[in-house]
Amino acid sequence: MLSEFSLIDRYFAQRARQHTRRAALGIGDDCALIAPAAGEMLAVSTDMLVEGRHFFADVDPHALGHKALAVNLSDLAAMGAAPLGFTLACALPKPREDWLAAFSAGLFELADRYDCELIGGDTTAGPLNLCLTVFGSVRQDAALRRDAARDGDDIWVSGTPGDARAGLGVLRGEWQTSGADAAADVAHFRRALEYPEPRVALGLALRGVARAALDLSDGLAGDLRHILERSRLAAAIDVDALPVSPALARLPRAVQLQCALAGGDDYELCFTAARDQREAVEAAAQQAGVRVTRIGTMSALTSPAAAVPAIAWRDAAGAPLDLTLQGFDHFHAD
Amino acid sequence: MLSEFSLIDRYFAQRARQHTRRAALGIGDDCALIAPAAGEMLAVSTDMLVEGRHFFADVDPHALGHKALAVNLSDLAAMGAAPLGFTLACALPKPREDWLAAFSAGLFELADRYDCELIGGDTTAGPLNLCLTVFGSVRQDAALRRDAARDGDDIWVSGTPGDARAGLGVLRGEWQTSGADAAADVAHFRRALEYPEPRVALGLALRGVARAALDLSDGLAGDLRHILERSRLAAAIDVDALPVSPALARLPRAVQLQCALAGGDDYELCFTAARDQREAVEAAAQQAGVRVTRIGTMSALTSPAAAVPAIAWRDAAGAPLDLTLQGFDHFHAD
């Protein structure tokens, strides 16, 4: 068995040292030293992933390495911040070399694509737990904040939310794909669940175009509420406008809605922009190579004292839909 | 049972919002936004604490809140960085209000003393795990780096290392205190183990005075090797010069050495400084209100190709001592 230090060294520190460019001081000292670009702020986000909660015990470690960083890069994307680096703290039941080799490969393949350096970390024995903290750079006045939406803004979403939740449902046996595309659909859903793509390029392209933004980690219905609460607004969503992947469209309509509205783990961006920015939003999406869809409108609160900002769900004809879905809460049942 | 969001809100986010001053954007968005002082770098460190490994399951949650932040502030101290803020990610088996109230009280009492803001976090269900990432500010050329020691430097240590390990030994029944001071000694050891004081003021006072520094988390024998490896030097330590607390001095000499040399969890600083800085070191210690003791000397490697930099352990008369102690390695037995 490798000792802690040689294990960290082989799979993380050696690699980190080879790639250290931006940090003035990286792995191997008490602290790393980094700075945002001149005139910019450091954007910081942290996410903890726990076995049995965020991934299955038998998850492919390569996919887990990818996803652990992807969900953190997604937070940078949602602020319009450019990735700089990250720290990795992990508890491992025992240091298995094959597991670490695959995990670190998945992690660094994504890190390299976004030029995001490993600058520090901690490793200990314990129930499998991954905690990443990611650092990006953004001008303070260009950051896409949750409290920046305004009355009348369009509401947009990237990609096709719901596919990750559909993948989880297939793995759990909640529903099955069928027909000629059954196997391809399963592969599509699993890829959405295991290899989410952080929308970093879209977040960067939306600076100066979008107002508020966040990433969909807990589901559109739950996450959108965060923008509503912080911006003190209400929203109307055209449920028929929700972009649905061809694979998800082949599942029953009720499953589609459950996945697209209450499914977590998509890491697509939900953002608002002024009506006169529609062409600019489309241009940003094209530049980033990501599909975006306009799904609704922000509106003033009917009563400023309303305790819970409301989302009005409507169909394409404008008729109200009664949906009692919500984003999942980690201390409640999913 | 409180939901995840209301629980986070009550014990962490509300408090964090009340105290947000330095961060341009704190808890409640996808990222926090912070910046180091003008012309300075951001010092970043992360530590993960796991039940059964870093603390007992029945630990006083107030002490745990203190220690989780203290061990991270200690890393800033070891760089000579001034605390700015921290993120807290935690996995909790279930959100128990009394536990959270005590934990957050211990955490914020220390945070307030060092003017260190909670700027972000993540909470999830899972086996108890605390991961903090701490941020400080330091001028790049003033940082106390592990690779900065030089041949002939004095080696210093703060406080009385070994007390935390003595406390662990008492709790585990490895040894017992005796005599008239037995109860007071146990209380002293437990306080060292449960409420370590990060040497932030000393680290700041040593900027421009000390060269290399680190904090003693794994024990002097193991931690000092990190300075030797990074600075490509050897060291001679006068074991009889090691500062030992009155409580530890009442335990057998073999226990004293085991605790002082191989005991972890002290979070005292070990640092090097040029011989002509002795008065300046003493003045810095006095300013910080911390005792410091000169325990040895750095020296050139006898063979540049030596695989493992050596520590020569000597008594006050200069005679060599054979010690086969080492800092503990989290994947080996403690």
Side-chain angles (χ1 to χ4, degrees), chain A residues 1-88:
Chain A
M1 190 189 287
L2 285 169
S3 79
E4 180 189 4
F5 293 121
S6 59
L7 170 157
I8 295 170
D9 202 62
R10 180 173 303 182
Y11 290 106
F12 299 108
Q14 276 184 12
R15 177 67 184 254
R17 276 194 291 273
Q18 286 161 12
H19 289 72
T20 299
R21 297 167 303 270
R22 216 177 269 113
L25 182 60
I27 269 187
D29 216 306
D30 297 288
C31 296
L33 297 179
I34 57 169
E40 302 208 341
M41 301 288 286
L42 209 70
V44 178
S45 183
T46 191
D47 271 297
M48 179 174 271
L49 279 73
V50 175
E51 182 180 292
R53 171 65 49 177
H54 300 95
F55 55 89
F56 293 110
D58 62 351
V59 65
D60 172 2
H62 185 278
L64 183 60
H66 171 97
K67 189 163 176 175
L69 181 58
V71 303
N72 278 281
L73 289 176
S74 179
D75 285 312
L76 293 183
M79 292 297 287
L84 290 176
F86 67 105
T87 60
L88 166 68

Side-chain angles (χ1 to χ4, degrees), chain B residues 204-219:
Chain B
L204 293 173
L206 286 173
R207 294 189 292 190
V209 175
R211 284 191 174 125
L214 51 57
D215 68 323
L216 297 178
S217 54
D218 290 339

Side-chain angles (χ1 to χ4, degrees), chain B residues 174-211:
Chain B
E174 293 175 277
W175 46 75
Q176 275 134 30
T177 58
S178 61
D181 301 303
D185 289 354
V186 168
H188 171 82
F189 292 147
R190 282 196 67 145
R191 186 151 188 93
L193 180 64
E194 296 180 346
Y195 286 93
E197 188 61 36
R199 300 305 187 192
V200 172
L202 180 62
L204 293 173
L206 286 173
R207 294 189 292 190
V209 175
R211 284 191 174 125

Side-chain angles (χ1 to χ4, degrees), chain A residues 1-7 17 22-36 40-51 53-54 72 74-76 78-79 81 87-95 119-127 129-135 138-140 143-147 213-215 218 226 230 327-332, chain B residues 1-7 17 22-36 40-51 53-54 72 74-76 78-79 81 87-95 119-127 129-135 138-140 143-147 213-215 218 226 230 327-332:
Chain A
M1 190 189 287
L2 285 169
S3 79
E4 180 189 4
F5 293 121
S6 59
L7 170 157
R17 276 194 291 273
R22 216 177 269 113
L25 182 60
I27 269 187
D29 216 306
D30 297 288
C31 296
L33 297 179
I34 57 169
E40 302 208 341
M41 301 288 286
L42 209 70
V44 178
S45 183
T46 191
D47 271 297
M48 179 174 271
L49 279 73
V50 175
E51 182 180 292
R53 171 65 49 177
H54 300 95
N72 278 281
S74 179
D75 285 312
L76 293 183
M79 292 297 287
T87 60
L88 166 68
C90 51
L92 303 171
K94 52 181 179 178
I119 62 167
D122 193 16
T123 311
T124 183
N129 183 306
L130 303 166
C131 183
L132 279 79
T133 304
V134 73
F135 308 98
V138 65
R139 267 201 3 245
Q140 189 172 340
L144 304 173
R145 301 168 56 130
R146 294 181 179 185
D147 60 6
L214 51 57
D215 67 324
D218 291 338
H226 298 309
R230 302 272 295 187
F328 64 81
D329 181 326
H330 289 298
F331 283 116
H332 283 108
Chain B
M1 188 188 290
L2 286 169
S3 78
E4 179 189 6
F5 292 121
S6 58
L7 170 157
R17 277 194 291 271
R22 216 178 269 114
L25 181 61
I27 268 187
D29 216 307
D30 297 288
C31 296
L33 296 180
I34 58 169
E40 303 208 341
M41 301 287 287
L42 209 71
V44 179
S45 183
T46 191
D47 272 297
M48 178 174 272
L49 279 74
V50 175
E51 181 179 293
R53 170 66 48 176
H54 300 95
N72 279 280
S74 179
D75 285 313
L76 293 183
M79 291 298 287
T87 60
L88 167 67
C90 52
L92 303 170
K94 53 181 179 179
I119 61 166
D122 192 17
T123 311
T124 183
N129 184 306
L130 303 165
C131 184
L132 278 79
T133 304
V134 72
F135 308 98
V138 65
R139 265 198 7 244
Q140 189 172 341
L144 305 174
R145 301 167 56 129
R146 295 181 177 184
D147 60 6
L214 51 57
D215 68 323
D218 290 339
H226 297 310
R230 302 272 295 187
F328 65 79
D329 181 325
H330 289 299
F331 283 116
H332 283 108

Side-chain angles (χ1 to χ4, degrees), chain B residues 67-145:
Chain B
K67 188 162 176 175
L69 181 59
V71 304
N72 279 280
L73 289 176
S74 179
D75 285 313
L76 293 183
M79 291 298 287
L84 290 176
F86 67 105
T87 60
L88 167 67
C90 52
L92 303 170
K94 53 181 179 179
R96 273 182 35 211
E97 272 208 74
D98 58 342
W99 193 96
L100 280 167
F103 175 83
S104 65
L107 181 80
F108 284 116
E109 281 165 27
L110 184 64
D112 287 350
R113 277 208 283 129
Y114 288 103
D115 198 20
C116 189
E117 285 175 24
L118 178 63
I119 61 166
D122 192 17
T123 311
T124 183
L128 186 54
N129 184 306
L130 303 165
C131 184
L132 278 79
T133 304
V134 72
F135 308 98
S137 186
V138 65
R139 265 198 7 244
Q140 189 172 341
D141 58 1
L144 305 174
R145 301 167 56 129

